[in-house]
Amino acid sequence: RVSTQSTGLMSDFQPQNENDVIQRFQQLKAEYNSIATKIGELESEKNEHELVIGVIKNVEPGRKCFRMVGGVLVERTVNEVLPAVSANSENISKAIESLNKQLEQKEKELNAFVTQYKIRVRDDKETTEKKDNKPSGSTGVLV
């Protein structure tokens, strides 16, 4: 049984069979990958903000400037846009920091799950060994 609570605690997980363990492992990996992907997207967005800040910080404050707001291009001045872009960049940095903490927590949860259920991930080396009929010697769930 997998808990429906958002805490994601492994103590709530009660596998009925090996397939439950594999399914939960794949779910944890998917959550981990999703967080990592979001961090990458936000870092890219932050880099774009930093480029814009670098370009407009040396421009005279009253100069005309255009900014995309909700899919609409609006005309503003550098004086109005620079603080908003800087604030957005800071908020993105905070979000990245928060997601990094979540990623670390998810990694610990994933590693604990792997250890608890003795999960081994099949790789090319193991596939080759199986073809050569060489047993691996350890028991556990093979994903």
Side-chain angles (χ1 to χ4, degrees), residues 9-135:
L9 296 175
M10 287 191 325
S11 60
D12 294 342
F13 179 69
Q14 301 294 326
Q16 299 298 318
N17 56 39
E18 191 174 286
N19 287 334
D20 289 348
V21 173
I22 293 170
Q23 185 177 14
R24 178 66 178 150
F25 173 73
Q26 290 172 341
Q27 178 186 4
L28 287 171
K29 274 195 78 121
E31 291 170 3
Y32 178 88
N33 289 337
S34 175
I35 294 169
T37 300
K38 188 63 179 174
I39 289 171
E41 291 170 2
L42 287 176
E43 285 176 343
S44 175
E45 194 170 324
K46 184 178 185 309
N47 288 338
E48 289 177 20
H49 279 70
E50 294 299 323
L51 282 172
V52 170
I53 291 168
V55 169
I56 66 174
K57 71 180 177 184
N58 297 324
V59 176
E60 68 179 73
R63 186 169 173 182
K64 197 184 324 183
C65 180
F66 293 92
R67 180 175 182 220
M68 185 75 73
V69 178
V72 178
L73 195 60
V74 295
E75 183 178 335
R76 300 280 187 246
T77 63
V78 170
N79 199 30
E80 295 170 328
V81 171
L82 186 56
V85 173
S86 295
N88 283 350
S89 181
E90 286 299 316
N91 289 337
I92 292 170
S93 293
K94 289 176 185 174
I96 290 170
E97 187 177 310
S98 173
L99 285 172
N100 276 324
K101 289 178 185 173
Q102 288 179 26
L103 189 66
E104 287 176 17
Q105 182 62 35
K106 189 59 69 178
E107 184 176 24
K108 287 177 185 175
E109 184 178 351
L110 190 57
N111 288 336
F113 192 83
V114 166
T115 302
Q116 180 180 356
Y117 292 100
K118 299 176 184 151
I119 295 174
R120 294 179 298 125
V121 179
R122 184 181 300 159
D123 60 5
D124 291 335
K125 181 181 174 188
E126 287 186 28
T127 305
T128 304
E129 286 178 0
K130 295 229 183 260
K131 287 180 182 177
D132 294 340
N133 294 323
K134 295 179 184 176

